[in-house]
Amino acid sequence: MDKWQPLAAALDDRRRQALYRQRKISDSPSSPKMMISGKPCLCFCSNDYLGLANHPAVIKAFKKASDHYGVGSGAAHLINGHAHAHHALEEELADFTGRQRALLFSTGYMANLGVINTLCGTGDHLYQDRLNHASLLDAGKLSGARQQRYSHLDSKNLLAKCTANTPKMIATDAVFSMDGDLAELPQLAQIAQQHDAWLMVDDAHGLGVLGHNGAGTLSHFGLDAKQAPILMGTLGKGLGTFGAFVAGDELLIEALIQQARSYIYTTAMPAAIAEATRTSLTLLQTESWRREKLQQLISNFKTGAAQLGLPLMPSDTPIQPLLIGDSAQATAVSQQLLASGILVTAIRPPTVPANSARLRITLSANHTEQQVAQLLTALERLL
Ligand SMILES: *Cc1c(COP(=O)(O)O)cnc(C)c1O
């Protein structure tokens, strides 16, 4: 048997189903105006919701810190890679999220692996929303726990499953990454408390955007560390840099430092990234105008799209997907948009369920009202 043949067949299958993925090459910072394959375009698909990825003060902090710390951290946090910048950022993230401690991870994917595999093991019952991010689902698989997925946003469905088998953990996206809607966190917190289960909240898309001073979706719902004891946040989206953290009680963080393999066996993020993140954290807490402007743009987009009868999904966050359904059609619309100078990537299965391909439009505080109007005009023409 030729070992290459199944690979080629799988790629052919993907092409036939309009599921083949290709990278676009950018030659510009993350910002509304990007250069893609040498052509200027207007970008509506970044997760840099506050426009901090290319903020002059964040860049300056990064440059200054790399003069001090160099580029590489040299080793894992538990060897000699844990710099003062990392430690200070952890303390500031704990303050920001109202928790005892925070622990940096190199990526959100790794943070989710670390938490779930520290707290859940073979035979434990782990419940996840059907539309949770792949990293939560993969973490559950790796843990050997008995993983069950409940219907999206359906706490009744979860409750029924929990009655059959006592949960060890309930894990959820706070803002669903491909849909933009919010988990029913108060109900989930209540169910978790009833069963003395862990509630793990992945706030990759709420942090910086929702809640008091951008403290995230838990703050938006007024939930404290007792009701939602595990918070995972990423730094590469609203905060505009790179990496992730877990915030919670002392005991949780110490357990992760001792046991989370995706924390222990990997090189620490560069200290200059941590230092740049400290600056973006200060900016997002002290300058609320970005969140206000973002809300205005979201409202403009939703009103305009509703007037045009576009297939909006129920979201009030900067993630405003338009449901297309068919993968080939979603790809075609995305290509036509790019031809008219607008970049919106088509999101297809298996990232989203079968027959629910979509244009995942995202807005940023750095967009102008005029750019949003330009997007609406292009969509009107194409859809
Ligand atoms: C992006 C994302 C992650 C992964 O974070 P990275 O830092 O990019 O690895 C985890 N969870 C959700 C919901 C995400 O959207």
Side-chain angles (χ1 to χ4, degrees), residues 61-74 80-89 269-276 278:
F62 182 81
K63 284 181 177 163
K64 185 160 168 239
S66 54
D67 283 341
H68 180 73
Y69 289 109
V71 177
S73 62
N80 69 346
H82 189 63
H84 175 264
H86 296 119
H87 208 72
L89 175 59
M269 71 161 70
I273 297 274
E275 204 57 43
R278 295 180 69 194

Side-chain angles (χ1 to χ4, degrees), residues 236-251:
K237 290 166 181 162
L239 277 91
T241 60
F242 186 79
F245 69 94
V246 175
D249 282 5
E250 176 80 22
L251 195 57

Side-chain angles (χ1 to χ4, degrees), residues 184-198:
E184 300 176 300
L185 292 178
Q187 287 90 325
L188 298 183
Q190 204 180 5
I191 296 171
Q193 274 185 316
Q194 267 167 23
H195 290 89
D196 195 26
W198 293 108

Side-chain angles (χ1 to χ4, degrees), residues 5-15 17 20:
Q5 195 279 328
L7 286 185
L11 293 183
D12 282 346
D13 259 7
R14 288 209 160 211
R15 279 194 196 89
Q17 296 173 59
Y20 204 82

Side-chain angles (χ1 to χ4, degrees), residues 39-73:
K39 271 176 46 188
C41 67
L42 189 52
C43 165
F44 284 98
C45 50
S46 167
N47 299 316
D48 177 25
Y49 304 118
L50 300 175
L52 293 174
N54 189 36
H55 190 288
V58 178
I59 297 170
K60 193 169 159 207
F62 182 81
K63 284 181 177 163
K64 185 160 168 239
S66 54
D67 283 341
H68 180 73
Y69 289 109
V71 177
S73 62

Side-chain angles (χ1 to χ4, degrees), residues 173-185:
D173 284 23
V175 176
F176 284 87
S177 55
M178 298 298 132
D179 298 69
D181 49 3
L182 303 190
E184 300 176 300
L185 292 178

Side-chain angles (χ1 to χ4, degrees), residues 59-139:
I59 297 170
K60 193 169 159 207
F62 182 81
K63 284 181 177 163
K64 185 160 168 239
S66 54
D67 283 341
H68 180 73
Y69 289 109
V71 177
S73 62
H77 284 277
L78 291 174
I79 309 297
N80 69 346
H82 189 63
H84 175 264
H86 296 119
H87 208 72
L89 175 59
E90 287 181 345
E91 285 172 357
E92 288 160 11
L93 287 168
D95 267 0
F96 177 54
T97 56
R99 317 250 144 176
Q100 289 175 3
R101 297 270 303 270
L103 183 71
L104 291 176
F105 280 77
S106 293
T107 69
Y109 197 114
M110 294 166 79
N112 283 342
L113 288 191
V115 170
I116 292 185
N117 284 277
T118 297
L119 300 179
C120 296
T122 310
D124 289 335
H125 289 274
L126 165 62
Y127 293 97
Q128 302 215 30
D129 188 289
R130 183 160 290 285
L131 297 189
N132 272 357
H133 190 263
S135 57
L136 286 170
L137 300 170
D138 292 358

